[in-house]
Amino acid sequence: MIELRAGVLVQVTRKASPQFVRPILFRLIRIRTEWITYDGWAWLDGYQIDARGDAVARRSIYVQPAGLLPPEPELTPTRRPVPASRAATSRRVPSTRPHARAILGDKAVDELP
């Protein structure tokens, strides 16, 4: 059985619940202990994850934790790190040039409360 803690990525299949005919990847946020369940079942809050590793939907699912599987390697999303040269140039630096400031009425935007 997988240790359920925040951030863990699991594969949810029919072994966990009959509703998951098509398996999904699920990143756990928390276990809902305040909701009453049958013995061996649990409500989980988390995000459904796509193949790129992006969260596509926030969900609460009712499953048997014993049926949760570790993600298969070919299904595990791979995130490629941003090269250092691109990461340094992607930071937004505020412009100090007067012609780049937007004017709203008679006050500059940076002077508004």
Side-chain angles (χ1 to χ4, degrees):
M1 190 165 124
I2 297 174
E3 179 186 354
L4 294 179
R5 60 187 177 353
V8 71
L9 184 66
V10 295
Q11 184 178 8
V12 185
T13 65
R14 287 184 70 102
K15 289 183 179 184
S17 180
Q19 66 182 331
F20 295 101
V21 176
R22 183 179 302 147
I24 66 166
L25 288 176
F26 188 77
R27 182 158 321 272
L28 182 65
I29 296 173
R30 67 178 172 165
I31 300 171
R32 303 295 304 248
T33 56
E34 69 277 8
W35 291 355
I36 298 171
T37 64
Y38 290 103
D39 189 37
W41 290 79
W43 280 100
L44 306 179
D45 279 347
Y47 292 99
Q48 184 173 342
I49 305 296
D50 67 6
R52 295 183 315 184
D54 296 327
V56 292
R58 181 158 180 179
R59 297 182 67 172
S60 291
I61 60 174
Y62 189 58
V63 296
Q64 293 178 320
L68 296 173
L69 303 172
E72 296 176 4
E74 63 271 6
L75 296 179
T76 304
T78 55
R79 293 233 182 232
R80 296 184 181 183
V82 176
S85 61
R86 289 183 71 199
T89 60
S90 65
R91 292 188 196 131
R92 185 173 178 176
V93 179
S95 176
T96 56
R97 296 175 295 176
H99 63 275
R101 290 176 36 197
I103 303 297
L104 181 64
D106 60 345
K107 291 187 175 184
V109 171
D110 56 356
E111 296 173 8
L112 293 176

